[in-house]
Amino acid sequence: GENVEQHPSTLSVQEGDSAVIKCTYSDSASNYFPWYKQELGKRPQLIIDIRSNVGEKKDQRIAVTLNKTAKHFSLHITETQPEDSAVYFCAATTSGTYKYIFGTGTRLKVLA
Amino acid sequence: KAGVTQTPRYLIKTRGQQVTLSCSPISGHRSVSWYQQTPGQGLQFLFEYFSETQRNKGNFPGRFSGRQFSNSRSEMNVSTLELGDSALYLCASSLTGREETQYFGPGTRLLVL
């Protein structure tokens, strides 16, 4: 069945450093890849997404890259701040399935 | 617009009981998806509804069921509760359920004793 693997499960970085989270998907037909941020006790919220016809997308300090050949995509956060501390989830979906497969999450800690 | 709402927010049940959770999507959103969130397992897809029709379901036993009403509100039911059903149940709504942003509700935290 479809699967999304996410690494690492936990990540600690110093404030101002960069953080990278990687996900690998199994369904080669997947065409939409969102990233969600979930702060403690809060609901997941979309922070960035990418479609399969695009290789990279940036939004201020956040960027996502997609490698369709290798079937993996990554979240890059630059100049990390304490408020970036949260759990980040990647997901993948395939057109026509109406089903999102989520990774198991990465707990990011930004140390001041 | 008001966000996605879920009721109740917390539930305590005992094994063997059944439970019904409710989700009200953002106005105009016709797709509602349900997820089970447990520590270490991330968000696991339960099912998705659009215009009162289930279009896909995840790998959960038949004890988990759902439905959607004509106003797009959705309910999920878990019968014969087991200890392992303890989790945060999240619903998410979107306009069509296709490749687009999903907006999550605050979740219902279910504890099975």
Side-chain angles (χ1 to χ4, degrees), chain A residues 31-32 36 38 41 43-46 49 51 89 93-105, chain B residues 4 35 37 40-43 45 48 55-58 88 90 96-102 104-106:
Chain A
N31 62 334
Y32 177 66
Y36 286 84
Q38 187 176 30
R43 67 190 77 187
Q45 290 192 303
L46 181 79
D49 56 10
R51 299 182 187 276
F89 292 98
T93 188
T94 304
S95 184
T97 65
Y98 314 109
K99 177 180 181 179
Y100 287 76
I101 305 300
F102 280 78
T104 50
Chain B
V4 180
Y35 297 90
Q37 184 175 22
Q41 292 296 313
L43 284 75
F45 174 79
E48 188 266 358
R55 297 192 295 190
N56 207 336
K57 65 177 295 188
L88 180 67
L90 292 161
T96 67
R98 297 184 183 277
E99 303 83 73
E100 61 194 1
T101 304
Q102 291 192 313
F104 283 85

Short mmCIF file of all heavy atoms in Angstrom, two decimals, chain A residues 31-32 36 38 41 43-46 49 51 89 93-105, chain B residues 4 35 37 40-43 45 48 55-58 88 90 96-102 104-106:
data_model
loop_
_atom_site.label_atom_id
_atom_site.label_comp_id
_atom_site.label_asym_id
_atom_site.label_seq_id
_atom_site.Cartn_x
_atom_site.Cartn_y
_atom_site.Cartn_z
N ASN A 31 1.01 13.33 -6.62
CA ASN A 31 1.23 14.58 -7.34
C ASN A 31 1.05 15.84 -6.50
O ASN A 31 1.14 16.95 -7.00
CB ASN A 31 0.30 14.65 -8.56
CG ASN A 31 -1.17 14.62 -8.16
OD1 ASN A 31 -1.54 14.11 -7.12
ND2 ASN A 31 -2.01 15.19 -9.00
N TYR A 32 0.81 15.67 -5.21
CA TYR A 32 0.65 16.85 -4.35
C TYR A 32 1.22 16.53 -2.99
O TYR A 32 0.92 15.48 -2.40
CB TYR A 32 -0.83 17.25 -4.25
CG TYR A 32 -1.11 18.41 -3.33
CD1 TYR A 32 -0.64 19.69 -3.62
CD2 TYR A 32 -1.87 18.22 -2.18
CE1 TYR A 32 -0.91 20.75 -2.77
CE2 TYR A 32 -2.14 19.28 -1.33
CZ TYR A 32 -1.66 20.54 -1.63
OH TYR A 32 -1.92 21.61 -0.80
N TYR A 36 2.60 20.18 7.04
CA TYR A 36 1.81 20.76 8.11
C TYR A 36 2.66 20.92 9.36
O TYR A 36 3.53 20.11 9.65
CB TYR A 36 0.60 19.87 8.43
CG TYR A 36 -0.49 19.94 7.39
CD1 TYR A 36 -0.44 19.16 6.24
CD2 TYR A 36 -1.58 20.80 7.55
CE1 TYR A 36 -1.43 19.24 5.27
CE2 TYR A 36 -2.57 20.88 6.59
CZ TYR A 36 -2.49 20.10 5.46
OH TYR A 36 -3.47 20.19 4.51
N GLN A 38 2.33 21.37 13.50
CA GLN A 38 1.42 21.21 14.62
C GLN A 38 2.12 21.62 15.91
O GLN A 38 3.02 20.92 16.38
CB GLN A 38 0.90 19.78 14.72
CG GLN A 38 -0.17 19.59 15.78
CD GLN A 38 -0.74 18.18 15.80
OE1 GLN A 38 -0.05 17.21 15.48
NE2 GLN A 38 -2.00 18.03 16.19
N GLY A 41 -0.61 20.95 21.43
CA GLY A 41 -2.00 21.17 21.80
C GLY A 41 -2.83 21.88 20.75
O GLY A 41 -3.99 22.24 20.99
N ARG A 43 -4.05 22.37 16.42
CA ARG A 43 -4.37 21.59 15.22
C ARG A 43 -3.28 21.75 14.18
O ARG A 43 -2.61 22.78 14.14
CB ARG A 43 -5.73 22.04 14.67
CG ARG A 43 -5.73 23.47 14.12
CD ARG A 43 -7.14 23.95 13.79
NE ARG A 43 -7.89 24.34 15.00
CZ ARG A 43 -9.17 24.67 14.99
NH1 ARG A 43 -9.87 24.63 13.85
NH2 ARG A 43 -9.78 25.02 16.10
N PRO A 44 -3.09 20.76 13.31
CA PRO A 44 -2.11 20.92 12.21
C PRO A 44 -2.54 22.05 11.28
O PRO A 44 -3.73 22.21 10.99
CB PRO A 44 -2.16 19.57 11.50
CG PRO A 44 -2.76 18.62 12.49
CD PRO A 44 -3.71 19.42 13.30
N GLN A 45 -1.54 22.81 10.80
CA GLN A 45 -1.81 23.88 9.85
C GLN A 45 -0.83 23.80 8.70
O GLN A 45 0.37 23.57 8.91
CB GLN A 45 -1.71 25.25 10.54
CG GLN A 45 -2.84 25.50 11.52
CD GLN A 45 -2.92 26.94 11.97
OE1 GLN A 45 -1.96 27.47 12.50
NE2 GLN A 45 -4.06 27.59 11.75
N LEU A 46 -1.33 24.01 7.50
CA LEU A 46 -0.48 23.97 6.31
C LEU A 46 0.55 25.11 6.35
O LEU A 46 0.21 26.25 6.65
CB LEU A 46 -1.33 24.13 5.06
CG LEU A 46 -0.56 24.08 3.74
CD1 LEU A 46 -0.26 22.64 3.37
CD2 LEU A 46 -1.34 24.76 2.61
N ASP A 49 3.26 23.86 0.39
CA ASP A 49 2.95 22.66 -0.38
C ASP A 49 3.64 22.76 -1.73
O ASP A 49 4.11 23.83 -2.14
CB ASP A 49 1.43 22.47 -0.55
CG ASP A 49 0.75 23.69 -1.20
OD1 ASP A 49 1.46 24.59 -1.70
OD2 ASP A 49 -0.49 23.73 -1.19
N ARG A 51 3.53 20.89 -5.87
CA ARG A 51 2.90 19.96 -6.81
C ARG A 51 3.98 19.29 -7.65
O ARG A 51 5.09 19.80 -7.75
CB ARG A 51 1.89 20.71 -7.69
CG ARG A 51 0.79 21.33 -6.86
CD ARG A 51 -0.27 22.05 -7.65
NE ARG A 51 -1.18 22.76 -6.74
CZ ARG A 51 -2.22 22.20 -6.13
NH1 ARG A 51 -2.50 20.93 -6.38
NH2 ARG A 51 -2.98 22.89 -5.32
N PHE A 89 4.68 17.56 9.82
CA PHE A 89 4.22 16.38 9.10
C PHE A 89 4.29 16.62 7.60
O PHE A 89 3.82 17.66 7.12
CB PHE A 89 2.77 16.04 9.45
CG PHE A 89 2.56 15.57 10.86
CD1 PHE A 89 2.13 16.45 11.83
CD2 PHE A 89 2.78 14.25 11.20
CE1 PHE A 89 1.92 16.02 13.14
CE2 PHE A 89 2.57 13.81 12.50
CZ PHE A 89 2.15 14.70 13.47
N THR A 93 -0.49 12.87 -1.72
CA THR A 93 -1.76 12.38 -2.23
C THR A 93 -1.65 12.21 -3.73
O THR A 93 -0.81 12.84 -4.39
CB THR A 93 -2.92 13.33 -1.87
OG1 THR A 93 -4.17 12.69 -2.24
CG2 THR A 93 -2.83 14.64 -2.65
N THR A 94 -2.52 11.36 -4.24
CA THR A 94 -2.56 11.08 -5.67
C THR A 94 -3.91 11.50 -6.21
O THR A 94 -4.95 11.21 -5.59
CB THR A 94 -2.34 9.58 -5.93
OG1 THR A 94 -1.10 9.19 -5.33
CG2 THR A 94 -2.33 9.26 -7.41
N SER A 95 -3.90 12.19 -7.34
CA SER A 95 -5.13 12.68 -7.93
C SER A 95 -6.16 11.57 -8.09
O SER A 95 -5.85 10.50 -8.59
CB SER A 95 -4.82 13.30 -9.30
OG SER A 95 -5.98 13.86 -9.86
N GLY A 96 -7.38 11.86 -7.62
CA GLY A 96 -8.45 10.89 -7.78
C GLY A 96 -8.62 9.92 -6.63
O GLY A 96 -9.58 9.16 -6.60
N THR A 97 -7.69 9.95 -5.67
CA THR A 97 -7.80 9.01 -4.54
C THR A 97 -8.49 9.65 -3.34
O THR A 97 -9.04 8.93 -2.51
CB THR A 97 -6.42 8.51 -4.09
OG1 THR A 97 -5.66 9.61 -3.57
CG2 THR A 97 -5.67 7.86 -5.23
N TYR A 98 -8.45 10.99 -3.22
CA TYR A 98 -9.05 11.72 -2.10
C TYR A 98 -8.52 11.21 -0.77
O TYR A 98 -9.23 11.18 0.24
CB TYR A 98 -10.58 11.59 -2.15
CG TYR A 98 -11.13 11.83 -3.53
CD1 TYR A 98 -11.66 10.78 -4.27
CD2 TYR A 98 -11.09 13.09 -4.10
CE1 TYR A 98 -12.13 11.00 -5.55
CE2 TYR A 98 -11.56 13.32 -5.38
CZ TYR A 98 -12.09 12.26 -6.09
OH TYR A 98 -12.56 12.47 -7.36
N LYS A 99 -7.27 10.82 -0.77
CA LYS A 99 -6.65 10.23 0.42
C LYS A 99 -5.26 10.79 0.58
O LYS A 99 -4.46 10.76 -0.35
CB LYS A 99 -6.58 8.71 0.23
CG LYS A 99 -5.90 7.95 1.35
CD LYS A 99 -5.92 6.46 1.00
CE LYS A 99 -5.26 5.64 2.10
NZ LYS A 99 -5.30 4.19 1.76
N TYR A 100 -5.00 11.34 1.78
CA TYR A 100 -3.68 11.86 2.08
C TYR A 100 -2.96 10.87 2.99
O TYR A 100 -3.50 10.45 4.01
CB TYR A 100 -3.79 13.22 2.79
CG TYR A 100 -4.22 14.34 1.88
CD1 TYR A 100 -5.55 14.47 1.48
CD2 TYR A 100 -3.30 15.28 1.41
CE1 TYR A 100 -5.94 15.50 0.63
CE2 TYR A 100 -3.68 16.32 0.58
CZ TYR A 100 -5.01 16.42 0.20
OH TYR A 100 -5.40 17.44 -0.64
N ILE A 101 -1.73 10.53 2.63
CA ILE A 101 -0.90 9.67 3.45
C ILE A 101 0.12 10.56 4.15
O ILE A 101 0.87 11.29 3.49
CB ILE A 101 -0.17 8.61 2.62
CG1 ILE A 101 -1.17 7.81 1.78
CG2 ILE A 101 0.64 7.68 3.53
CD1 ILE A 101 -2.21 7.08 2.59
N PHE A 102 0.12 10.52 5.47
CA PHE A 102 1.00 11.36 6.26
C PHE A 102 2.22 10.60 6.73
O PHE A 102 2.16 9.38 6.99
CB PHE A 102 0.26 11.92 7.48
CG PHE A 102 -0.61 13.10 7.17
CD1 PHE A 102 -1.85 12.93 6.56
CD2 PHE A 102 -0.20 14.39 7.48
CE1 PHE A 102 -2.67 14.02 6.27
CE2 PHE A 102 -1.00 15.48 7.19
CZ PHE A 102 -2.24 15.29 6.58
N GLY A 103 3.32 11.31 6.87
CA GLY A 103 4.49 10.77 7.54
C GLY A 103 4.24 10.74 9.04
O GLY A 103 3.24 11.27 9.53
N THR A 104 5.16 10.14 9.78
CA THR A 104 4.97 9.97 11.23
C THR A 104 5.38 11.20 12.03
O THR A 104 5.24 11.20 13.25
CB THR A 104 5.73 8.75 11.74
OG1 THR A 104 7.08 8.83 11.27
CG2 THR A 104 5.10 7.46 11.24
N GLY A 105 5.88 12.24 11.37
CA GLY A 105 6.14 13.49 12.06
C GLY A 105 7.59 13.66 12.51
O GLY A 105 8.29 12.68 12.78
N VAL B 4 -13.01 24.92 11.21
CA VAL B 4 -13.57 23.59 11.41
C VAL B 4 -13.79 23.37 12.91
O VAL B 4 -12.90 23.68 13.71
CB VAL B 4 -12.62 22.51 10.86
CG1 VAL B 4 -13.21 21.12 11.09
CG2 VAL B 4 -12.33 22.76 9.38
N TYR B 35 -9.01 11.53 10.55
CA TYR B 35 -7.72 10.95 10.84
C TYR B 35 -7.66 10.54 12.31
O TYR B 35 -8.25 11.19 13.18
CB TYR B 35 -6.59 11.95 10.59
CG TYR B 35 -6.47 12.39 9.15
CD1 TYR B 35 -7.17 13.49 8.67
CD2 TYR B 35 -5.66 11.68 8.25
CE1 TYR B 35 -7.07 13.89 7.34
CE2 TYR B 35 -5.55 12.08 6.93
CZ TYR B 35 -6.26 13.19 6.49
OH TYR B 35 -6.15 13.57 5.18
N GLN B 37 -4.88 10.22 15.26
CA GLN B 37 -3.51 10.62 15.59
C GLN B 37 -3.10 10.00 16.91
O GLN B 37 -3.75 10.22 17.95
CB GLN B 37 -3.36 12.15 15.66
CG GLN B 37 -1.93 12.59 15.90
CD GLN B 37 -1.73 14.09 15.86
OE1 GLN B 37 -2.65 14.88 16.04
NE2 GLN B 37 -0.49 14.51 15.58
N GLY B 40 3.77 8.76 17.77
CA GLY B 40 4.65 7.87 17.01
C GLY B 40 4.07 7.34 15.72
O GLY B 40 4.80 6.82 14.88
N GLN B 41 2.77 7.48 15.53
CA GLN B 41 2.11 6.97 14.31
C GLN B 41 1.66 8.06 13.37
O GLN B 41 1.21 7.77 12.26
CB GLN B 41 0.90 6.11 14.69
CG GLN B 41 1.25 4.82 15.39
CD GLN B 41 2.05 3.91 14.49
OE1 GLN B 41 1.72 3.68 13.33
NE2 GLN B 41 3.15 3.39 15.02
N GLY B 42 1.78 9.28 13.81
CA GLY B 42 1.37 10.36 12.92
C GLY B 42 -0.13 10.39 12.74
O GLY B 42 -0.89 9.98 13.62
N LEU B 43 -0.55 10.85 11.58
CA LEU B 43 -1.97 10.92 11.27
C LEU B 43 -2.31 9.77 10.32
O LEU B 43 -1.75 9.68 9.23
CB LEU B 43 -2.32 12.24 10.58
CG LEU B 43 -2.41 13.50 11.44
CD1 LEU B 43 -1.04 14.00 11.84
CD2 LEU B 43 -3.18 14.59 10.72
N PHE B 45 -5.13 7.93 8.06
CA PHE B 45 -6.36 8.23 7.34
C PHE B 45 -7.45 7.20 7.64
O PHE B 45 -7.22 5.99 7.54
CB PHE B 45 -6.06 8.24 5.84
CG PHE B 45 -7.25 8.40 4.94
CD1 PHE B 45 -7.82 9.64 4.73
CD2 PHE B 45 -7.78 7.31 4.29
CE1 PHE B 45 -8.92 9.78 3.89
CE2 PHE B 45 -8.87 7.44 3.44
CZ PHE B 45 -9.44 8.68 3.25
N GLU B 48 -12.82 9.51 3.84
CA GLU B 48 -13.14 10.82 3.26
C GLU B 48 -14.54 10.80 2.69
O GLU B 48 -14.95 9.81 2.06
CB GLU B 48 -12.14 11.18 2.17
CG GLU B 48 -12.25 12.62 1.63
CD GLU B 48 -13.12 12.79 0.38
OE1 GLU B 48 -13.64 11.77 -0.13
OE2 GLU B 48 -13.28 13.95 -0.08
N ARG B 55 -15.68 8.32 -0.41
CA ARG B 55 -14.90 8.11 -1.63
C ARG B 55 -13.65 7.27 -1.40
O ARG B 55 -13.10 6.71 -2.34
CB ARG B 55 -14.53 9.45 -2.26
CG ARG B 55 -15.73 10.25 -2.71
CD ARG B 55 -15.35 11.43 -3.58
NE ARG B 55 -14.55 12.43 -2.87
CZ ARG B 55 -14.28 13.62 -3.36
NH1 ARG B 55 -14.69 13.96 -4.57
NH2 ARG B 55 -13.56 14.49 -2.65
N ASN B 56 -13.20 7.21 -0.15
CA ASN B 56 -12.05 6.37 0.14
C ASN B 56 -12.03 6.08 1.63
O ASN B 56 -12.61 6.83 2.43
CB ASN B 56 -10.74 7.05 -0.27
CG ASN B 56 -9.64 6.04 -0.60
OD1 ASN B 56 -9.66 4.90 -0.12
ND2 ASN B 56 -8.68 6.44 -1.41
N LYS B 57 -11.40 4.99 1.99
CA LYS B 57 -11.25 4.66 3.39
C LYS B 57 -9.88 4.07 3.63
O LYS B 57 -9.27 3.48 2.73
CB LYS B 57 -12.35 3.72 3.86
CG LYS B 57 -12.36 2.37 3.24
CD LYS B 57 -13.46 1.50 3.85
CE LYS B 57 -13.17 1.24 5.31
NZ LYS B 57 -14.08 0.27 5.95
N GLY B 58 -9.42 4.20 4.87
CA GLY B 58 -8.12 3.66 5.24
C GLY B 58 -8.23 2.24 5.77
O GLY B 58 -9.30 1.62 5.72
N LEU B 88 -6.27 10.91 19.46
CA LEU B 88 -6.87 12.17 19.06
C LEU B 88 -7.46 11.96 17.68
O LEU B 88 -6.76 11.52 16.76
CB LEU B 88 -5.82 13.28 19.02
CG LEU B 88 -6.29 14.67 18.61
CD1 LEU B 88 -7.24 15.25 19.66
CD2 LEU B 88 -5.11 15.60 18.38
N LEU B 90 -8.97 13.64 14.47
CA LEU B 90 -9.00 14.92 13.77
C LEU B 90 -9.85 14.82 12.51
O LEU B 90 -9.79 13.82 11.80
CB LEU B 90 -7.59 15.35 13.36
CG LEU B 90 -6.62 15.72 14.48
CD1 LEU B 90 -5.19 15.66 13.97
CD2 LEU B 90 -6.93 17.10 15.02
N THR B 96 -12.97 20.53 -2.28
CA THR B 96 -13.33 19.42 -3.16
C THR B 96 -12.72 18.09 -2.75
O THR B 96 -13.12 17.05 -3.27
CB THR B 96 -12.85 19.71 -4.59
OG1 THR B 96 -11.42 19.71 -4.61
CG2 THR B 96 -13.38 21.05 -5.10
N GLY B 97 -11.72 18.12 -1.85
CA GLY B 97 -11.02 16.89 -1.49
C GLY B 97 -9.90 16.53 -2.46
O GLY B 97 -9.19 15.55 -2.25
N ARG B 98 -9.73 17.35 -3.47
CA ARG B 98 -8.64 17.09 -4.40
C ARG B 98 -7.35 17.69 -3.86
O ARG B 98 -7.27 17.99 -2.68
CB ARG B 98 -8.98 17.66 -5.78
CG ARG B 98 -10.19 16.99 -6.39
CD ARG B 98 -10.48 17.50 -7.79
NE ARG B 98 -11.69 16.90 -8.33
CZ ARG B 98 -11.75 15.71 -8.92
NH1 ARG B 98 -10.65 15.00 -9.05
NH2 ARG B 98 -12.88 15.23 -9.37
N GLU B 99 -6.36 17.89 -4.69
CA GLU B 99 -5.03 18.32 -4.23
C GLU B 99 -5.10 19.79 -3.80
O GLU B 99 -4.87 20.72 -4.60
CB GLU B 99 -4.01 18.13 -5.35
CG GLU B 99 -3.92 16.69 -5.88
CD GLU B 99 -4.98 16.38 -6.92
OE1 GLU B 99 -4.87 16.88 -8.06
OE2 GLU B 99 -5.96 15.65 -6.58
N GLU B 100 -5.43 20.00 -2.55
CA GLU B 100 -5.64 21.35 -2.03
C GLU B 100 -5.45 21.34 -0.52
O GLU B 100 -5.35 20.28 0.10
CB GLU B 100 -7.06 21.81 -2.36
CG GLU B 100 -8.12 20.93 -1.73
CD GLU B 100 -9.52 21.14 -2.27
OE1 GLU B 100 -9.69 21.98 -3.18
OE2 GLU B 100 -10.45 20.48 -1.78
N THR B 101 -5.42 22.53 0.06
CA THR B 101 -5.22 22.65 1.51
C THR B 101 -6.36 22.01 2.27
O THR B 101 -7.53 22.24 1.97
CB THR B 101 -5.12 24.13 1.90
OG1 THR B 101 -4.09 24.75 1.15
CG2 THR B 101 -4.83 24.28 3.39
N GLN B 102 -6.00 21.24 3.27
CA GLN B 102 -6.98 20.72 4.22
C GLN B 102 -6.90 21.56 5.48
O GLN B 102 -5.81 21.89 5.95
CB GLN B 102 -6.67 19.26 4.57
CG GLN B 102 -6.92 18.28 3.44
CD GLN B 102 -6.89 16.85 3.93
OE1 GLN B 102 -6.00 16.43 4.65
NE2 GLN B 102 -7.86 16.06 3.50
N PHE B 104 -7.80 21.68 9.39
CA PHE B 104 -8.09 20.74 10.45
C PHE B 104 -8.92 21.36 11.57
O PHE B 104 -8.82 22.55 11.86
CB PHE B 104 -6.78 20.20 11.05
CG PHE B 104 -6.12 19.16 10.20
CD1 PHE B 104 -5.27 19.53 9.17
CD2 PHE B 104 -6.35 17.81 10.42
CE1 PHE B 104 -4.66 18.58 8.38
CE2 PHE B 104 -5.75 16.85 9.63
CZ PHE B 104 -4.89 17.23 8.61
N GLY B 105 -9.71 20.51 12.20
CA GLY B 105 -10.40 20.89 13.41
C GLY B 105 -9.49 20.70 14.61
O GLY B 105 -8.37 20.21 14.47
N PRO B 106 -9.95 21.06 15.80
CA PRO B 106 -9.12 20.95 17.01
C PRO B 106 -8.98 19.52 17.51
O PRO B 106 -8.11 19.24 18.33
CB PRO B 106 -9.87 21.81 18.03
CG PRO B 106 -11.28 21.73 17.58
CD PRO B 106 -11.24 21.67 16.09
#
